[in-house]
Amino acid sequence: MTETISYVGLPKFEIEVPNSLEEALNLLHIHQTNCKPLAGGTDLLVDLRHRLIQPNVIIDVKNIPELKKLEFTPNELTIGAAVPISEVLTLSQIKTYYTALYQALNDMCDEILRNRATIGGNIATASPAADTAGPLYTHQAVVEVQSKSKGSRLIAIDKFFKGVKKSDLAPDELIVSINMPKPTINTKSAFMKMKRGAEDLALVGAAGSHNQEHTYLGFTAVAPTPVFLDISNLIIEKKISENVFQSIWKEIDSKISPITDVRSSRDYRIHITEILTRLILKEIIL
Amino acid sequence: MTNYIGKSIPRKDAFDKVSGAAVYAFDIDNIPDMLFCKFLTSPHAHARIVSIDTSSAEKIPGVAAIATGKDWPVKIGLYAGDRDILAVEKVVWIGQPVVAVAAQTEEIAERALEAIEIEYEILPAILDPVAAKDSNEILVHEKMAEYGHSSAFNPVPGTNIANLFKLRKGNIKDGFSKADLVIENTFRMPQVAHAYLEPIVSIGHYCSDGTIEVWSSAQSPFTVRYLLGVTFAVPISNITVYTPYIGGGFGGKAGLNFEPLVVLLSRKAGNRPIKLRLTREENFRSAPIRVGMMAHIKTGVTSDGRITAEEIEYIWDSGAFADYAVNVGRAAGYVSIGPYDIDNIKSDSYTIYTNKPYATAFRGFGHMELHWVIERQRDFTANKIGMDPVVFRKSNTLKPGKSVTANQDRLREDAGSIDQCLDKVWIDLRENLSKTSPEKPWFFRGIGIAGFMKGPAQPPNSASSAYVKFSEDGGILVSVGTSEMGQGTITSLAQIAAEELGLPIEKVKIMGDRDTDRDAYTWQTVGSRSLFMDGNAVRDACKDAKGQIFEIASQVLRVPSEDLILKNELIFPKGEKWKHLSLAELVMGYMYPTGESIGGPIIGRGKYIAKMTMLDPETGAGKPTIFETFGAQGVEIKINALTGEITIKRLVSAFDIGKAINPELCKSQIIGGGVMALSIAMNEQLQYNEEGNLLNPNLVDYVISRAADIPEEFVSYLIENPQEDGPYGARGIGELTMLGVPAAIGNAIFNAISVQINDLPLSPEKVWSEIQQQRPELLASLKQKIFED
Amino acid sequence: MKKQITLTVNDKIHEILIKSNETLLDILRNHLRITSVKAACWQGDCGLCTILLEGVPIKSCLVLAYEADNKRVITVEGLSIEGSVSKLQESFINNGAVQCGFCTSAFLLMGHYLLKQGKPLERKEIEHLLNGIICRCTGYKQIIDSILAVSSISSE
């Protein structure tokens, strides 16, 4: 439907500001599809203004302690769903151990929006181009989700995305945190995205991680959901011949299905996916 | 020795703007009884309006009035009366305003829009300007024969041709027969948006006494005033237009935009003021944009580099209305071949209607577009005949005394030098080209250059005026009609006045806002005309004031006027500065010690009118502009051949501007215009689907350069070969700073990787796709190198 | 739903009655008439609505008004000290960083924030940090020059 009205204001809604996880889950349980959680609002408010969604209730989740955790324990990195990206970037271990995620976060939206945008919001919106999705997979992230009806649930990131802007979340489920195990020594990871200019959404996003046991690749903006591949069995030694690459590319090509849209053509996306894959493999393996 | 000419004094409006005090139309909210307007737009590119039902909307509390096209079905337009204020019989593009609501708040107005029902009968639409030019079946304006139009333009009823401008010189057949080589190319670029940051805002008040007042973010308040008078049959002196500081215009606010709509709605809403403020999406889809262009060019050249003939067809995609685009087609038409001297020329410049957002003026007025064609063709040709690109150009550039383009006036002796500009840029580019190899084998370096010229496109009777009035302490107010939209001309005009009247700049006041009752008239703030024309008017006004001052002083001091000089706020006879009078003693009238008073408050007045002619409708001959500013721009680029990404390492520019009144302001135009042109060249395009719906009406998918996209190094040369009839020798610069950038980049791409790209924008995908088509083996081999490296 | 909030702007305390669907941008411009805060896109792309909230730059069109309850906001008026201009504002004037002025407030606040971090700044770094705000007139270079000029004075 072609737009005939361009709205400047937001639609009407009530705001709830729960102070505890229990309170938040109760609200979600009551309102179900009539409510939306609000973290940074950098996606939500845009959708509201364009009337793409019109929930009756907005639930601000920024006061819930469990969603604000940011800690690196000996075994695990926990990032609360509502921690702003600029705050996540202050944790020095992100750059050292989770390089792909660091590179994605550092280039996401812009410096000002990074003071509000969150990883929880990024994956909840579940855009096919979600910058964090690829890196989270390469770091083997698990999403902790809670609700009144199903209690606590852990969803591996490669089971999280179900379709364009669709995740595995039930209407009353709330993302609490995103957790990643501490990577083994000598793990290298990287993230690259193709943009039209200095500040842009990804035309293609690519991430990879590699150590002696595993090699993971993640791609965004090339299919209705992020595409994840475990190519550990294709990487046998610490070099990449053109033959090895072709077998990897065959795997990737079979899983991606990029479209032509306002940002890019299908052909260019396929080409760039190949180039980024080569560059990332070189970075993490060689 | 001058005090202010050539000095980079800080802008007069800088303090207002850094302190947050500057007021824009966007900020005006305090007009008593004001209502807010929102409009409903057409969802179809071409459709007949069958019915409009506003009955439910009218009942919503807080709705003051609802207007449709039938409320005032007068056609408006700058050069052709082709535009509806609100669509009357049919809609001609997706985004065209159809119904407007005035309400207490924007929110109520939005709810009212939701309650309006419109029935359409969809008609076939035509989106491609090339197809539209030849189509007799799908007509955007089937009633074209009924439209009034300026005699300078030639619409063709029964077609989609809003104007055809013809240029003819010599004998084109003969010209080609003399050539050793004939080179043909087609060049294209899409419509683009101005994307000025302050959205369009207009406040209209049709007062109960039949007068009209308007506040608007508009570059040309006097034109707005005039056309409102024509549209509403109100005497011009009963109309007042106020334009505060403008948050960017670039030609997009040069004409008449939404002022008639708010005035119409005000009339219907009990004569209350109505404010319309566009959202960014509305600014992309419902407000006018820049023409798209397709050109086919054929150049005949001898093997030793002399161009013998050039034949060009320009097709301008004007969208649904012709607005300024007929004049863009005309202006590009009378230049056609760029800053060159060619004996045989045949050029046809068509302005074409299509069912898309309509085109208005855009910085460069067809000249950035035409120089993409010409300067790419020059490099193409130079390459084919094995000549250095600048040596080839200089073998053909305009020299004083030669006729400009087609039997137009001969180029003045003091017109400035295109050759000096080309040399400066080319030497700098070549001397500073990095000698080290790029860090990866898939990066390539290249340099490219483009030369160009432009003068103001204006009617032959375009005029400027100014007045200067004094306050008791000898300070002045300079009144001009030029608007302040960021270009800073008013500061230079203040400098001219300070210089002429020997005043410190702090005592020269010039208003940053415009008021058509208060201010001296100028035709429009467009075309790089303001410094030249308003500057001459200001000098004239100052001379007039000085004459009046000297007349009084001569009586008091008992010296002939010719012996007097004005310096540092004192008037004294040459060589006898102790016999002085101060300005303050005199500017309100002079009182003798015994009380008799002579003279009176001094008001100096000045004017300047253009020296041009109409152009012959068959050949284009005549005098189309008051000056040509010559320039050249060059770039050093780095291409990532694997992704198509281009990094601009250096942007080198040279302009022969005659005299830089304020060099810092010139530099600001050079950097700002350069980056704007770069942005357009690399990434900007309005993208439509097959229905004609604009797919990227926002600042995320309409990609504009950010801080990290700019060249690493800017070099600017201001060449000063003065033009005798310009103020202190000055010519204009505002648009010139855009004109060569796209072609320079296109030429640099060929220099770097031997790939010819003829279409803009040069997005990474475009560059990759051309490499893929023209040199697939290059890409294949580079891909392998990634692992080897 | 209407709610009363308390908001400190440039050290002045305000009590404002807001609606749940109003943004911080709405209340700064419409309720408090602080017109230095501009807007050009209303969806976080242009950056002109940038202000400092608790000292941190955010785009006010994407923050709901109620979130600013009991918080401190700084706009460009808060940079001027008793009628005179700050070093950064003066630098903007002297380095040609101002043309139409519509983006100036946002860049001043962002520049002010970057300078306050106390770290020495490099040109490339500043470019990356300023990507969130669009300028159509100046081409950015002189804005970056202005910030660098103050940065190098402070580090002397």
Side-chain angles (χ1 to χ4, degrees):
Chain A
M1 228 322 270
T2 308
E3 205 179 87
T4 58
I5 302 173
S6 182
Y7 293 92
V8 68
L10 302 178
K12 288 194 167 57
F13 49 78
E14 294 297 319
I15 303 175
E16 299 283 357
V17 190
N19 288 309
S20 72
L21 184 54
E22 194 188 331
E23 213 186 315
L25 296 181
N26 268 329
L27 286 164
L28 280 161
H29 191 69
I30 295 167
H31 296 290
Q32 300 278 332
T33 53
N34 284 322
C35 71
K36 276 274 179 198
L38 168 71
T42 57
D43 281 333
L44 185 67
L45 264 66
V46 181
D47 288 349
L48 286 172
R49 181 167 80 82
H50 290 295
R51 304 299 191 270
L52 297 174
I53 47 167
Q54 296 200 55
N56 301 114
V57 180
I58 303 277
I59 303 173
D60 184 347
V61 298
K62 293 194 285 295
N63 289 358
I64 303 169
E66 290 88 335
L67 272 69
K68 301 307 294 287
K69 265 165 64 163
L70 178 66
E71 57 186 24
F72 183 75
T73 65
N75 293 318
E76 193 177 56
L77 169 66
T78 301
I79 304 179
V83 178
I85 289 172
S86 55
E87 200 185 313
V88 175
L89 287 168
T90 60
L91 196 62
S92 58
Q93 291 92 345
I94 306 271
K95 190 168 184 187
T96 343
Y97 296 118
Y98 305 92
T99 311
L101 182 63
Y102 173 82
Q103 290 169 335
L105 295 178
N106 202 35
D107 199 24
M108 235 173 102
C109 44
D110 62 75
E111 180 72 6
I112 306 169
L113 286 175
R114 288 194 280 274
N115 289 324
R116 296 279 300 178
T118 63
I119 298 179
N122 193 233
I123 63 175
T125 298
S127 157
D131 283 332
T132 60
L136 288 177
Y137 172 70
T138 65
H139 301 309
Q140 292 292 282
V142 173
V143 185
E144 190 204 330
V145 148
Q146 288 209 32
S147 68
K148 210 170 155 188
S149 52
K150 295 198 221 163
S152 179
R153 206 158 68 94
L154 294 173
I155 314 175
I157 194 75
D158 59 343
K159 303 277 184 292
F160 184 83
F161 301 99
K162 292 299 179 196
V164 176
K165 299 206 150 191
K166 284 198 189 63
S167 69
D168 194 44
L169 296 176
D172 68 338
E173 282 185 306
L174 181 67
I175 303 174
V176 175
S177 65
I178 299 99
N179 312 299
M180 282 154 271
K182 181 174 171 188
T184 61
I185 305 204
N186 299 327
T187 303
K188 282 187 80 174
S189 65
F191 168 82
M192 294 177 193
K193 80 180 191 189
M194 183 60 210
K195 303 183 286 189
R196 291 164 292 184
E199 172 71 15
D200 197 9
L201 300 171
L203 271 54
V204 174
S209 69
H210 164 80
N211 55 38
Q212 280 213 310
E213 282 89 52
H214 297 289
T215 308
Y216 299 115
L217 296 176
F219 298 96
T220 42
V222 291
T225 61
V227 172
F228 303 126
L229 293 110
D230 180 344
I231 57 164
S232 310
N233 59 328
L234 295 174
I235 308 288
I236 311 164
E237 43 181 354
K238 217 168 166 50
K239 74 178 172 80
I240 318 164
S241 68
E242 192 58 28
N243 279 336
V244 168
F245 178 77
Q246 289 303 327
S247 57
I248 297 171
W249 179 248
K250 192 152 157 265
E251 278 296 306
I252 297 171
D253 198 31
S254 70
K255 296 242 163 46
I256 63 173
S257 55
I259 57 170
T260 295
D261 66 11
V262 70
R263 283 172 209 132
S264 179
S265 71
R266 178 181 166 276
D267 286 347
Y268 186 63
R269 283 189 159 113
I270 295 173
H271 169 75
I272 290 298
T273 306
E274 188 195 330
I275 299 301
L276 293 183
T277 307
R278 287 179 185 265
L279 290 167
I280 286 186
L281 287 175
K282 167 141 186 230
E283 174 78 21
I284 61 181
I285 298 178
L286 299 180
Chain B
M1 235 300 284
T2 77
N3 288 323
Y4 290 108
I5 304 304
K7 299 292 196 310
S8 293
I9 63 151
R11 299 171 64 108
K12 279 274 183 188
D13 55 347
F15 182 84
D16 274 352
K17 288 173 176 176
V18 300
S19 65
V23 173
Y24 303 79
F26 189 75
D27 300 319
I28 298 178
D29 267 333
N30 53 355
I31 297 173
D33 265 356
M34 194 169 76
L35 295 166
F36 296 87
C37 167
K38 294 276 307 175
F39 54 75
L40 196 63
T41 58
S42 164
H44 305 297
H46 200 191
R48 211 173 54 80
I49 299 174
V50 175
S51 65
I52 302 178
D53 183 2
T54 60
S55 50
S56 318
E58 283 161 34
K59 297 194 187 87
I60 294 174
V63 171
I66 302 183
T68 65
K70 296 215 168 85
D71 287 319
W72 201 266
V74 170
K75 294 232 186 267
I76 54 179
L78 292 167
Y79 300 106
D82 59 2
R83 178 156 67 103
D84 292 334
I85 301 173
L86 288 164
V88 180
E89 287 172 15
K90 60 174 192 172
V91 290
V92 282
W93 91 89
I94 296 180
Q96 181 176 7
V98 183
V99 185
V101 170
Q104 299 281 15
T105 65
E106 276 174 319
E107 192 257 318
I108 295 173
E110 284 166 359
R111 273 195 283 123
L113 293 181
E114 286 166 1
I116 296 172
E117 308 264 344
I118 307 183
E119 204 191 320
Y120 294 99
E121 179 202 323
I122 299 179
L123 301 169
I126 192 152
L127 304 176
D128 171 43
V130 178
K133 172 174 163 283
D134 298 323
S135 171
N136 299 106
E137 295 88 44
I138 304 179
L139 296 179
V140 181
H141 292 277
E142 69 280 5
K143 295 200 172 158
M144 202 195 288
E146 294 169 24
Y147 299 163
H149 65 91
S150 152
S151 57
F153 299 100
N154 311 295
V156 184
T159 72
N160 290 308
I161 300 172
N163 188 43
L164 166 59
F165 182 86
K166 290 191 274 198
L167 201 66
R168 301 286 185 270
K169 181 182 179 186
N171 185 309
I172 198 71
K173 271 205 175 73
D174 279 354
F176 280 120
S177 68
K178 293 195 178 96
D180 294 320
L181 190 61
V182 174
I183 291 159
E184 284 191 63
N185 269 310
T186 302
F187 294 94
R188 287 185 184 83
M189 61 180 67
Q191 291 177 321
V192 298
H194 308 74
Y196 34 72
L197 287 176
E198 184 204 8
I200 282 182
V201 176
S202 294
I203 304 170
H205 188 193
Y206 195 111
C207 309
S208 18
D209 62 358
T211 62
I212 296 176
E213 49 180 13
V214 160
W215 295 256
S216 195
S217 186
Q219 294 169 230
S220 308
F222 293 95
T223 296
V224 171
R225 181 181 72 166
Y226 173 75
L227 290 172
L228 285 174
V230 168
T231 305
F232 292 99
V234 171
I236 295 172
S237 50
N238 285 353
I239 303 173
T240 310
V241 177
Y242 305 99
T243 58
Y245 287 120
I246 303 167
F250 312 111
K253 297 174 180 172
L256 186 73
N257 287 329
F258 288 85
E259 296 86 357
L261 195 161
V262 288
V263 170
L264 155 62
L265 198 50
S266 170
R267 197 164 169 276
K268 217 172 172 199
N271 304 111
R272 290 174 65 175
I274 310 285
K275 179 174 183 177
L276 171 65
R277 179 187 62 176
L278 298 192
T279 65
R280 180 54 51 178
E281 292 81 14
E282 285 168 340
N283 223 113
F284 273 107
R285 302 159 98 228
S286 303
I289 45 73
R290 191 206 76 182
V291 285
M293 180 212 70
M294 202 274 304
H296 190 80
I297 181 170
K298 193 167 141 186
T299 308
V301 67
T302 62
S303 48
D304 63 347
R306 186 72 199 134
I307 301 174
T308 60
E310 196 144 78
E311 186 174 341
I312 315 175
E313 184 183 75
Y314 286 105
I315 296 178
W316 304 94
D317 183 355
S318 179
F321 297 115
D323 198 74
Y324 274 101
V326 285
N327 202 11
V328 171
R330 175 182 175 273
Y334 65 62
V335 175
S336 268
I337 59 163
Y340 299 99
D341 177 24
I342 300 177
D343 291 331
N344 305 289
I345 306 171
K346 176 172 186 259
S347 168
D348 292 300
S349 183
Y350 291 91
T351 300
I352 303 294
Y353 288 120
T354 58
N355 289 115
K356 301 209 290 291
Y358 71 97
T360 188
F362 190 105
R363 193 176 185 183
F365 217 66
H367 287 56
M368 186 175 68
E369 299 89 307
L370 81 88
H371 283 101
W372 166 251
V373 176
I374 298 301
E375 289 301 291
R376 288 285 295 119
Q377 179 78 339
R378 297 291 172 256
D379 247 45
F380 202 100
T381 307
N383 178 252
K384 282 273 185 261
I385 61 177
M387 271 180 96
D388 169 272
V390 171
V391 172
F392 169 60
R393 283 175 170 81
K394 283 165 64 178
S395 315
N396 295 282
T397 45
L398 275 172
K399 314 279 188 284
K402 289 293 185 176
S403 88
V404 180
T405 323
N407 296 318
Q408 292 167 14
D409 249 44
R410 291 160 65 179
L411 191 67
R412 304 167 58 107
E413 294 284 344
D414 60 355
S417 169
I418 174 73
D419 287 4
Q420 282 179 28
C421 297
L422 285 166
D423 283 336
K424 263 270 184 289
V425 171
W426 200 228
I427 290 170
D428 186 303
L429 276 180
R430 279 157 48 181
E431 272 177 8
N432 291 294
L433 177 59
S434 293
K435 312 275 190 303
T436 59
S437 318
E439 60 268 33
K440 298 277 180 210
W442 47 88
F443 286 125
F444 296 86
R445 280 208 191 83
I447 55 174
I449 191 170
F452 46 85
M453 74 178 186
K454 186 177 190 290
Q458 50 185 358
N461 62 346
S462 162
S464 296
S465 61
Y467 68 82
V468 165
K469 67 176 187 154
F470 285 84
S471 41
E472 292 88 328
D473 61 356
I476 56 170
L477 171 82
V478 183
S479 178
V480 295
T482 286
S483 306
E484 175 53 69
M485 53 177 169
Q487 82 287 42
T489 313
I490 59 172
T491 297
S492 301
L493 296 174
Q495 286 173 251
I496 290 173
E499 186 71 31
E500 289 287 326
L501 292 171
L503 285 167
I505 194 76
E506 296 76 21
K507 281 176 106 166
V508 177
K509 181 172 181 177
I510 191 163
M511 307 301 285
D513 63 309
R514 285 293 145 258
D515 170 334
T516 55
D517 288 344
R518 178 194 71 195
D519 294 331
Y521 169 93
T522 200
W523 174 64
Q524 295 185 357
T525 303
V526 295
S528 311
R529 68 183 283 282
S530 307
L531 180 63
F532 191 95
M533 296 206 44
D534 281 40
N536 279 331
V538 167
R539 284 193 91 186
D540 196 32
C542 292
K543 276 202 182 73
D544 186 55
K546 239 160 82 167
Q548 295 172 48
I549 290 167
F550 286 168
E551 194 193 317
I552 303 304
S554 135
Q555 286 186 58
V556 177
L557 295 173
R558 302 185 206 158
V559 207
S561 279
E562 312 84 80
D563 287 358
L564 291 169
I565 52 178
L566 170 56
K567 194 171 166 181
N568 297 331
E569 303 180 78
L570 299 174
I571 306 118
F572 52 88
K574 290 187 193 107
E576 298 181 284
K577 65 172 186 263
W578 46 87
K579 272 194 200 166
H580 64 250
L581 279 176
S582 71
L583 272 180
E585 287 179 88
L586 194 148
V587 287
M588 294 312 200
Y590 177 77
M591 184 172 81
Y592 284 94
T594 42
E596 292 92 334
S597 301
I598 57 167
I602 310 252
I603 303 178
R605 56 153 202 226
K607 60 187 188 294
Y608 190 80
I609 195 159
K611 299 181 288 198
M612 298 158 60
T613 69
M614 305 284 223
L615 301 179
D616 185 289
E618 288 311 312
T619 65
K623 186 167 198 276
T625 91
I626 53 179
F627 62 77
E628 299 286 358
T629 299
F630 291 113
Q633 286 173 303
V635 290
E636 180 187 317
I637 65 172
K638 189 174 86 171
I639 304 185
N640 179 336
L642 283 176
T643 63
E645 287 166 294
I646 298 175
T647 311
I648 314 282
K649 310 283 288 172
R650 311 182 70 239
L651 170 60
V652 182
S653 312
F655 302 93
D656 193 338
I657 53 165
K659 181 74 194 167
I661 306 286
N662 184 320
E664 185 67 33
L665 284 180
C666 294
K667 225 175 74 180
S668 294
Q669 287 300 295
I670 293 172
I671 298 171
V675 171
M676 187 177 193
L678 192 159
S679 183
I680 290 169
M682 309 275 275
N683 262 316
E684 294 185 28
Q685 48 180 335
L686 291 171
Q687 297 169 263
Y688 301 90
N689 66 12
E690 322 77 58
E691 271 96 58
N693 193 16
L694 182 59
L695 298 171
N696 58 340
N698 55 59
L699 292 169
V700 65
D701 282 323
Y702 185 84
V703 180
I704 292 182
S705 289
R706 307 271 175 158
D709 289 314
I710 67 177
E712 289 172 24
E713 191 189 340
F714 291 87
V715 176
S716 318
Y717 294 101
L718 296 175
I719 298 173
E720 293 180 317
N721 291 308
Q723 178 148 336
E724 199 193 289
D725 60 349
Y728 297 96
R731 303 181 196 89
I733 194 176
E735 296 165 292
L736 276 300
T737 60
M738 305 257 290
L739 304 187
V741 173
I745 300 175
N747 292 338
I749 292 173
F750 182 77
N751 181 251
I753 51 170
S754 302
V755 167
Q756 294 284 10
I757 306 185
N758 292 3
D759 303 341
L760 292 181
L762 303 164
S763 63
E765 175 169 346
K766 177 71 184 171
V767 175
W768 161 75
S769 128
E770 291 296 337
I771 300 176
Q772 180 64 30
Q773 276 178 58
Q774 297 179 37
R775 297 192 62 192
E777 79 294 345
L778 175 67
L779 272 180
S781 79
L782 289 175
K783 267 199 279 197
Q784 312 261 337
K785 292 204 160 71
I786 295 178
F787 295 135
E788 292 163 23
D789 183 58
Chain C
M1 170 202 120
K2 286 197 178 208
K3 182 181 148 89
Q4 177 98 316
I5 66 163
T6 304
L7 177 62
T8 305
V9 183
N10 302 327
D11 287 334
K12 261 177 70 175
I13 302 176
H14 299 273
E15 307 245 319
I16 312 166
L17 193 62
I18 60 154
K19 289 192 270 198
S20 53
N21 65 347
E22 283 184 288
T23 61
L24 179 53
L25 172 67
D26 292 334
I27 55 176
L28 289 173
R29 282 191 60 87
N30 303 338
H31 292 253
L32 299 180
R33 301 241 168 274
I34 301 176
T35 56
S36 70
V37 184
K38 304 297 187 202
C41 77
W42 289 274
Q43 57 181 42
D45 300 324
C46 70
L48 299 199
C49 64
T50 300
I51 52 99
L52 300 178
L53 179 65
E54 298 287 289
V56 169
I58 52 100
K59 297 187 179 183
S60 58
C61 71
L62 292 181
V63 174
L64 291 174
Y66 82 89
E67 279 200 50
D69 191 13
N70 293 315
K71 301 249 167 67
R72 307 170 57 90
V73 165
I74 301 192
T75 68
V76 94
E77 290 85 346
L79 296 184
S80 310
I81 311 144
E82 283 163 2
S84 73
V85 288
S86 69
K87 279 210 179 67
L88 184 60
Q89 285 164 307
E90 206 183 312
S91 188
F92 268 52
I93 296 175
N94 294 332
N95 286 296
V98 179
Q99 287 192 31
C100 86
F102 212 64
C103 72
T104 302
S105 305
F107 276 112
L108 278 169
L109 287 166
M110 194 58 189
H112 173 81
Y113 169 75
L114 292 178
L115 292 167
K116 269 197 98 175
Q117 304 310 297
K119 297 185 324 182
L121 294 166
E122 296 265 345
R123 181 172 292 274
K124 276 250 165 283
E125 211 187 327
I126 297 181
E127 283 175 3
H128 176 73
L129 294 169
L130 293 182
N131 273 336
I133 308 173
I134 296 180
C135 176
R136 195 54 160 163
C137 298
T138 69
Y140 304 101
K141 176 183 185 291
Q142 288 153 308
I143 294 173
I144 299 162
D145 289 346
S146 304
I147 297 172
L148 269 175
V150 180
S151 167
S152 56
I153 297 171
S154 334
S155 57
E156 270 157 31

